[in-house]
């Protein structure tokens, strides 16, 4: 579990380094988010032991990731072209897109404010956060073939 906490810390540091390319920046942020969710998923699946301290550290990292999200900087006009799966709907419905991300941030903050005491509690929180991700991807991401 200690290795897991160290790996999360390294992810958070790596995620804090920004490039000048908004496509690369948003892809890096979402990859970091996916890795954090994947680590939490391993705990829910029983592949990793439940450690309340490590889980809280991961939830805090997920919240920090969500707090870095800035739709206008990461999805400026013209960044819909190139190596991206961002759907055109993002630029057509920026308010809805921001609302979807705001919902994720609120739920991440709630998870940190009320950390789970066991795997079942984590599962419920991860289902909520994963639902936020899925809903956003359904509307604002082009499905890969």
């Amino acid at each position: 579990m200690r290795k897991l906490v160290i790996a999360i810390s390294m992810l958070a540091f790596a995620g804090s380094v920004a490039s000048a390319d908004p496509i690369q920046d948003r892809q890096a942020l979402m990859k970091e988010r996916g890795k954090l969710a994947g680590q939490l998923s391993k705990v829910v699946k029983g592949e990793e032991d439940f450690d309340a301290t490590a889980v809280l550290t991961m939830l805090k990292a997920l919240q920090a990731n969500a707090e870095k999200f800035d739709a206008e900087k990461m999805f400026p006009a013209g960044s819909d072209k190139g190596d991206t799966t961002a759907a055109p709907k993002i630029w057509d419905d920026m308010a809805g897109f921001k609302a979807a991300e705001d919902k994720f941030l609120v739920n991440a903050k709630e998870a940190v404010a009320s950390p789970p005491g066991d795997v079942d509690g984590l599962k419920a929180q991860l289902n909520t956060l994963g639902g936020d991700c899925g809903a956003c991807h359904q509307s604002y991401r082009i499905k890969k073939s």
Side-chain angles (χ1 to χ4, degrees), residues 27-82:
Q27 287 174 345
L29 190 73
M30 292 301 154
K31 284 179 185 177
E32 175 186 330
R33 186 175 295 184
K35 286 181 182 182
L36 291 165
Q39 288 298 322
L40 289 167
S41 180
K42 286 181 181 182
V43 175
V44 167
K45 292 177 184 176
E47 296 170 9
E48 296 275 343
D49 291 334
F50 180 86
D51 175 330
T53 302
V55 166
L56 181 57
T57 298
M58 286 185 272
L59 290 171
K60 286 179 179 179
L62 204 53
Q63 178 183 331
N65 172 283
E67 288 171 342
K68 290 184 227 171
F69 187 91
D70 183 332
E72 289 161 1
K73 287 183 183 174
M74 299 179 94
F75 294 87
S79 69
D80 57 333
K81 306 290 187 249

Side-chain angles (χ1 to χ4, degrees), residues 1-14 36 39:
M1 195 53 71
R2 183 172 168 226
K3 288 180 184 177
L4 181 61
V5 173
I6 291 169
I8 291 166
S9 298
M10 291 174 65
L11 269 174
F13 175 75
L36 291 165
Q39 288 298 322

Side-chain angles (χ1 to χ4, degrees), residues 57-112:
T57 298
M58 286 185 272
L59 290 171
K60 286 179 179 179
L62 204 53
Q63 178 183 331
N65 172 283
E67 288 171 342
K68 290 184 227 171
F69 187 91
D70 183 332
E72 289 161 1
K73 287 183 183 174
M74 299 179 94
F75 294 87
S79 69
D80 57 333
K81 306 290 187 249
D83 182 23
T84 183
T85 56
K89 185 175 179 182
I90 291 171
W91 292 270
D92 295 338
D93 180 24
M94 187 59 76
F97 182 59
K98 288 178 184 177
E101 183 60 29
D102 289 345
K103 185 174 185 285
F104 179 81
L105 177 58
V106 166
N107 287 328
K109 286 180 177 182
E110 287 177 2
V112 169

